Amino acid sequence: MAGAIDITATSIDPALLDLPWELPLLEWPQELLAALPRGISRHVVRFVNLSGRIIAVKEINEDVAYREYSRLRDLQRLGQPAVAPTAVVTKRQTTRGKPLTSALVTEHLQYSLPYRALFTRAIKPDTTFRLIDSLAVLLVRLHLQGIYWGDVSLSNTLFRRDAGAFSAYLVDAETVALYPQLTVGQRSYDVDLARTNIIGEFMDLQAGDYFDRSLDVIEFGDRLTERYEKLWAELTEEETFEAGERWRVEARIARLNELGFDVDELAMTRSPDGQSLKIQPKVVDAGHYHRQVLRLTGLDVGEKQGQRIINDLKTYRTLSGKEDEPIELVAHKWVDEVFKPTMDMIPPEYRAKLEPAEMFHQILEHRWFESEKQGRDVPMPEVVASYVTTVLTNLPDEQSIIGFDAAEIPDAADVDRSSWEVHASAGDPDDYVPEFVPTYRLFE
C-alpha cells in the first residue's frame, strides 16, 4: 500500500496522488511512462502520462527540489522561457518504510527537443549555429532581468523550432539566482561557463560519432560568446550621433524590435553645444512579435514565427485592399480567411507533427519554393498537398514524440529538397527566408 506523502503544487491534480511514489523512479511501470527523448541529467528523470498530458518527474534532494521549484515559479512570473513547475513531492518511502528521494514535477514542454535528439543524425553546421544563437538569446534575456543561471549548457536547455530558427528554454534551475541587476563578473561567468560547456558537449558528440569530427568545436563555443556580446551591446550600449541625425533614434528602436525586444523608455542627452545627442534604451523584455500576434490574433507563437505572421498579415492587408481598416479587424479576418483554412487542410493524423505556427511558416516557405519552381502562383490547396506529401509525412509527432526513438528524429531543416536545385545559387534553402508575396487567391 502507498504510504503518506506531502505534495506542494501550483494547482492540485488528484491524479498525482495515484502515481507510485512508494517506488524508486527507476522502477515505475512502463505503462505510465511516455517514450520521449531525454537529455543528459545528473538525476533520474522520467516522463509520465498524467490526466491527458505529460509531466517530467525528477528525483532530487528535498531542499534542492524546493529551491528549483521556487526559481521556476519566479521565471514563470517574470515571463522567461523555462519549463513550468507543477509540484514537489516529499516524505516518500517504500512500503517497508525505507525513505526515498524527493521529486520535482514539471510540465513537459510540447514540441521541444533536447539538443542530443537533434544530433542523432547528421546535422549541418548552420543548423548548429542556429541552436547556439538561440541559447545566446536566452542568456541575454535572463541577464537583462537580473537572472543569474550558474549552470549554462545545451544539456540544461530545451529547443523548439521557431520559423527556421530555434527558441531556447531553461530546464535546470537548481543554480538560478535573482538579483536587481547582474554585475559584469556574474554575466561573464555565465558566458564563460556556457562556452566551456558547449565545447565539452560537442567533443562528446564527436566522440560518439554524432558530430563531424573534422569540425573545430572551439568555433561553436566562440560563436556563443560572440553572439551574446553583440546582442548585449545592441540592447544596452549608449549611442552618440550628430544632432541632425535624429532619425537614428527611430532606427535604433526599429533594430531592437527586429531583434524581438521592446523598448520601455529612452534616455536622451544633448551635448552643451547642441551638436550631438546620446541615447540609451531601456529594454523592457523580449517577445515583441510574440506579444503583437497574441494581442491581434490570440495565437501563442514563437518570436520568429510571430515576425513571419506579422509580415504575412501586412501583406494580406495590402493585397486585399484593407489598408484603411483597423489592424485588429484585419487580423481577425486573416485568421478566418488565411490561417484557419490553411491549417484545416492538414489531415488530422499529421497535425501533431509540428506546432501550428511552425507548420504555417513551413507552408509559406514551401509555397515560395513551389511557385518559383513552377513559375506561377501555386494555389494553397496544391501547396499544402505537396507539403504534406514531401515534408510532413517524413517528420515525427513533435508534440510529444511518443513512440519514437531519438535516433529516428529528423531535423525539419534537413528534409531532402533536391527538387529545388534551381535555388542553389541563392544559398542553402534552410538559411534562405524567401520574401514571396502571396496573392491570397488561396481558396478559390
Side-chain angles (χ1 to χ4, degrees):
M1 293 181 61
I5 55 172
D6 280 356
I7 298 180
T8 301
T10 54
S11 59
I12 293 297
D13 182 348
L16 276 174
L17 296 169
D18 299 328
L19 294 176
W21 298 112
E22 71 280 3
L23 295 176
L25 201 50
L26 284 173
E27 298 178 11
W28 280 26
Q30 287 295 319
E31 58 266 23
L32 289 177
L33 305 182
L36 298 181
R38 293 192 298 270
I40 295 176
S41 175
R42 294 182 294 269
H43 311 284
V44 178
V45 179
R46 290 292 181 268
F47 294 104
V48 179
N49 294 297
L50 183 76
S51 302
R53 69 187 199 280
I54 298 175
I55 59 172
V57 183
K58 176 170 70 172
E59 285 186 331
I60 192 171
N61 289 339
E62 179 177 340
D63 56 340
V64 181
Y66 275 118
R67 174 183 170 80
E68 185 167 6
Y69 174 81
S70 177
R71 294 292 82 81
L72 287 174
R73 293 201 69 181
D74 288 335
L75 293 174
Q76 194 174 38
R77 173 177 53 83
L78 294 170
Q80 295 300 310
V83 295
T86 298
V88 174
V89 183
T90 59
K91 297 185 178 178
R92 296 174 61 207
Q93 59 181 5
T94 68
T95 54
R96 295 188 177 185
K98 180 181 178 181
L100 293 173
T101 307
S102 298
L104 173 69
V105 182
T106 57
E107 295 289 331
H108 168 62
L109 184 64
Q110 289 191 341
Y111 302 102
S112 67
L113 295 168
Y115 82 100
R116 281 184 170 265
L118 295 168
F119 286 91
T120 51
R121 62 191 300 274
I123 188 172
K124 291 176 288 188
D126 288 338
T127 303
T128 305
F129 281 139
R130 291 196 291 269
L131 204 69
I132 293 171
D133 290 350
S134 70
L135 182 56
V137 171
L138 173 59
L139 199 51
V140 167
R141 288 189 62 173
L142 296 173
H143 287 179
L144 285 171
Q145 289 281 335
I147 300 167
Y148 170 77
W149 192 341
D151 195 11
V152 192
S153 68
L154 294 171
S155 299
N156 289 337
T157 311
L158 285 174
F159 298 91
R160 295 172 74 174
R161 304 189 195 282
D162 189 4
F166 290 97
S167 294
Y169 292 77
L170 185 151
V171 177
D172 195 320
E174 292 179 31
T175 56
V176 165
L178 276 62
Y179 299 92
Q181 183 176 343
L182 295 185
T183 65
V184 174
Q186 287 171 320
R187 291 195 300 104
S188 296
Y189 181 85
D190 253 359
V191 174
D192 289 343
L193 180 62
R195 177 183 179 276
T196 301
N197 285 341
I198 285 173
I199 292 171
E201 286 165 328
F202 279 113
M203 286 181 174
D204 286 344
L205 289 171
Q206 285 182 327
D209 289 327
Y210 292 117
F211 196 61
D212 190 342
R213 289 174 180 255
S214 67
L215 296 176
D216 182 6
V217 296
I218 303 298
E219 179 183 0
F220 295 100
D222 291 342
R223 170 79 172 207
L224 183 283
T225 302
E226 293 166 5
R227 297 296 289 180
Y228 173 90
E229 290 177 349
K230 287 181 180 179
L231 183 55
W232 184 265
E234 183 66 49
L235 294 171
T236 62
E237 280 190 355
E238 185 177 80
E239 182 178 1
T240 303
F241 51 88
E242 298 300 318
E245 299 178 309
R246 296 185 181 183
W247 57 269
R248 290 176 61 177
V249 176
E250 292 185 1
R252 179 73 179 273
I253 295 174
R255 290 201 308 273
L256 294 175
N257 290 162
E258 187 71 15
L259 291 169
F261 290 82
D262 281 330
V263 176
D264 184 40
E265 60 186 37
L266 198 67
M268 293 187 287
T269 305
R270 187 172 63 186
S271 64
D273 60 7
Q275 297 302 307
S276 64
L277 292 172
K278 290 182 179 179
I279 62 171
Q280 186 164 25
K282 178 183 177 183
V283 176
V284 60
D285 198 6
H288 174 74
Y289 293 104
H290 162 81
R291 283 190 289 272
Q292 281 193 53
V293 171
L294 188 62
R295 177 179 65 85
L296 291 172
T297 69
L299 299 173
D300 189 0
V301 301
E303 185 63 16
K304 294 293 184 183
Q305 294 165 351
Q307 186 176 14
R308 188 65 182 270
I309 286 175
I310 290 295
N311 289 340
D312 198 64
L313 177 56
K314 288 178 179 178
T315 302
Y316 167 79
R317 188 184 195 187
T318 300
L319 296 180
S320 59
K322 304 180 189 299
E323 293 173 287
D324 295 331
E325 295 185 22
I327 187 63
E328 293 80 6
L329 180 60
V330 175
H332 180 75
K333 292 179 179 178
W334 176 87
V335 171
D336 287 342
E337 297 177 9
V338 179
F339 184 80
K340 287 183 177 178
T342 300
M343 302 314 298
D344 286 345
M345 293 181 194
I346 302 296
E349 63 269 26
Y350 294 133
R351 291 176 186 171
K353 285 184 174 290
L354 289 171
E355 193 176 8
E358 181 65 21
M359 194 178 295
F360 183 76
H361 155 73
Q362 291 191 12
I363 290 171
L364 292 183
E365 191 174 58
H366 192 76
R367 179 177 60 184
W368 189 91
F369 284 114
E370 286 298 309
S371 297
E372 185 76 3
K373 184 176 70 173
Q374 298 183 33
R376 66 186 179 97
D377 178 28
V378 181
M380 189 60 88
E382 288 185 38
V383 172
V384 174
S386 171
Y387 171 75
V388 170
T389 301
T390 62
V391 178
L392 203 55
T393 56
N394 298 317
L395 300 178
D397 294 352
E398 290 195 0
Q399 184 174 19
S400 58
I401 325 182
I402 296 176
F404 284 84
D405 184 88
E408 299 174 357
I409 301 172
D411 185 348
D414 293 333
V415 171
D416 181 20
R417 293 175 180 169
S418 57
S419 60
W420 298 340
E421 293 172 354
V422 66
H423 302 291
S425 61
D428 185 350
D430 295 330
D431 296 323
Y432 182 58
V433 179
E435 293 297 329
F436 174 63
V437 179
T439 63
Y440 285 100
R441 296 173 302 187
L442 304 181
F443 307 107
E444 298 176 358

